[in-house]
Amino acid sequence: MQTLESKKDIQLEGSTDNDSANLPDFTTDAYKDAYSRINAIVIEGEQEAYDNYISIATLLPNDSEELTKLAKMELKHKRGFTACGKNLGVEADMPFAKEFFSKLHGNFQMALKDGNLTTCLLIQAILIEAFAISAYHVYIRVADPFAKKITQGVVNDEYLHLNYGEKWLKENLHTCKDELIAANKVNLPLIKKMLDQVAEDAATLSMDKEELMEEFMIAYQDALLEMGLDNREIARMAMAAIV
């Protein structure tokens, strides 16, 4: 199975200016309306990620410095995506975005309260990061020039976050596998529902829902493989996305 690093290289190198003829019209009311929600999602997602990594640091005090560094990257991303909206003259629909993340947010907060570190890492460092990476890869190919440059830089950082989660879960898989599988069963279906919820807006931005889901599942299954799960276990976990 292709590694995450090699996939990153292929996706970024594949984003060329030769695709400009296939870009959407960034000036239409329809585009800006859809973008107000998509842009809000990425802004809120980066804020959620900041908050989550700071929270995870309370459960992993020995990794506090590294987790704080990862969290600060997320705030930098938030500023970048906020600038993307301003560049197009679009106001992000933040109430929509907060509702969009509400179920994952609630599940993370419940796990945090109960001290379930594995669930917290799965939600933030694996599911959300794989979701973001896959969406950003697809978006880069159809983004306006300003947003494309911002997003390319963000993707490189997001791999560091995904790799942090992979590394911890791999090192502790012998004690956390049962919780990992249980948390996956609850939270992976939410990702598909989230993609379904924004499919129409994504299509307006020339982002295909099936491609988004395919990219996500490749990134997610690669992460599970990197953690040390075997193909049968990965297939069982991936089935949770079919609801």
Side-chain angles (χ1 to χ4, degrees), residues 155-166:
V155 169
N156 291 329
D157 286 347
E158 300 295 16
Y159 276 96
L160 298 176
H161 304 163
L162 183 68
N163 291 341
Y164 174 87
E166 289 175 347

Side-chain angles (χ1 to χ4, degrees), residues 80-99:
F81 287 126
T82 299
C84 290
K86 290 181 179 179
N87 180 62
L88 292 179
V90 173
E91 182 176 350
D93 187 346
M94 298 312 298
F96 173 85
K98 288 184 181 298
E99 178 62 26

Side-chain angles (χ1 to χ4, degrees), residues 161-175:
H161 304 163
L162 183 68
N163 291 341
Y164 174 87
E166 289 175 347
K167 183 173 182 290
W168 190 95
L169 290 165
K170 181 177 183 178
E171 291 174 351
N172 295 275
L173 191 62
H174 60 292
T175 60

Side-chain angles (χ1 to χ4, degrees), residues 6-241:
S6 64
K7 185 169 181 60
K8 175 182 70 174
D9 292 341
I10 288 172
Q11 291 287 355
L12 294 181
E13 289 173 5
S15 302
T16 68
D17 292 333
N18 295 331
D19 299 326
S20 59
N22 300 319
L23 295 179
D25 184 344
F26 310 119
T27 66
T28 66
D29 290 341
Y31 186 94
K32 291 184 177 182
D33 178 59
Y35 194 82
S36 70
R37 290 180 288 278
I38 299 296
N39 184 233
I41 287 169
V42 296
I43 291 170
E44 177 64 20
E46 300 296 350
Q47 180 63 55
E48 291 269 343
Y50 171 83
D51 295 339
N52 290 348
Y53 282 120
I54 294 297
S55 295
I56 290 170
T58 66
L59 301 179
L60 282 172
N62 290 341
D63 286 2
S64 180
E65 183 176 351
E66 182 175 3
L67 286 162
T68 299
K69 181 179 178 181
L70 295 178
K72 288 180 178 178
M73 286 183 187
E74 305 290 20
L75 285 187
K76 177 184 175 184
H77 301 164
K78 178 184 175 182
R79 290 193 294 270
F81 287 126
T82 299
C84 290
K86 290 181 179 179
N87 180 62
L88 292 179
V90 173
E91 182 176 350
D93 187 346
M94 298 312 298
F96 173 85
K98 288 184 181 298
E99 178 62 26
F100 181 79
F101 279 103
S102 61
K103 290 186 178 179
L104 273 181
H105 175 82
N107 288 353
F108 180 93
Q109 291 300 316
M110 188 181 304
L112 179 66
K113 181 179 178 181
D114 293 340
N116 294 334
L117 175 57
T118 296
T119 301
C120 289
L121 284 171
L122 175 73
I123 292 173
Q124 175 56 53
I126 305 298
L127 284 172
I128 292 178
E129 296 297 353
F131 179 86
I133 286 169
S134 60
Y136 294 162
H137 277 319
V138 175
Y139 177 60
I140 282 169
R141 298 195 286 272
V142 295
D144 65 90
F146 182 86
K148 178 178 178 178
K149 183 176 180 180
I150 295 291
T151 308
Q152 285 175 325
V154 169
V155 169
N156 291 329
D157 286 347
E158 300 295 16
Y159 276 96
L160 298 176
H161 304 163
L162 183 68
N163 291 341
Y164 174 87
E166 289 175 347
K167 183 173 182 290
W168 190 95
L169 290 165
K170 181 177 183 178
E171 291 174 351
N172 295 275
L173 191 62
H174 60 292
T175 60
C176 75
K177 185 186 288 188
D178 288 346
E179 183 184 336
L180 182 72
I181 293 172
N184 171 83
K185 188 174 182 180
V186 172
N187 293 287
L188 180 57
L190 296 179
I191 298 295
K192 183 177 184 300
K193 290 177 181 177
M194 291 163 75
L195 282 170
D196 288 342
Q197 187 179 350
V198 294
E200 186 174 342
D201 286 334
T204 301
L205 272 60
S206 297
M207 300 167 67
D208 180 70
K209 184 184 79 170
E210 298 304 321
E211 184 181 9
L212 285 165
M213 191 63 189
E214 180 184 0
E215 291 277 352
F216 167 75
M217 290 306 298
I218 289 171
Y220 187 52
Q221 290 177 85
D222 278 352
L224 296 178
L225 183 67
E226 183 63 29
M227 289 178 216
L229 293 161
D230 62 37
N231 289 332
R232 186 178 296 273
E233 290 168 329
I234 292 171
R236 281 201 213 101
M237 291 179 71
M239 286 294 290

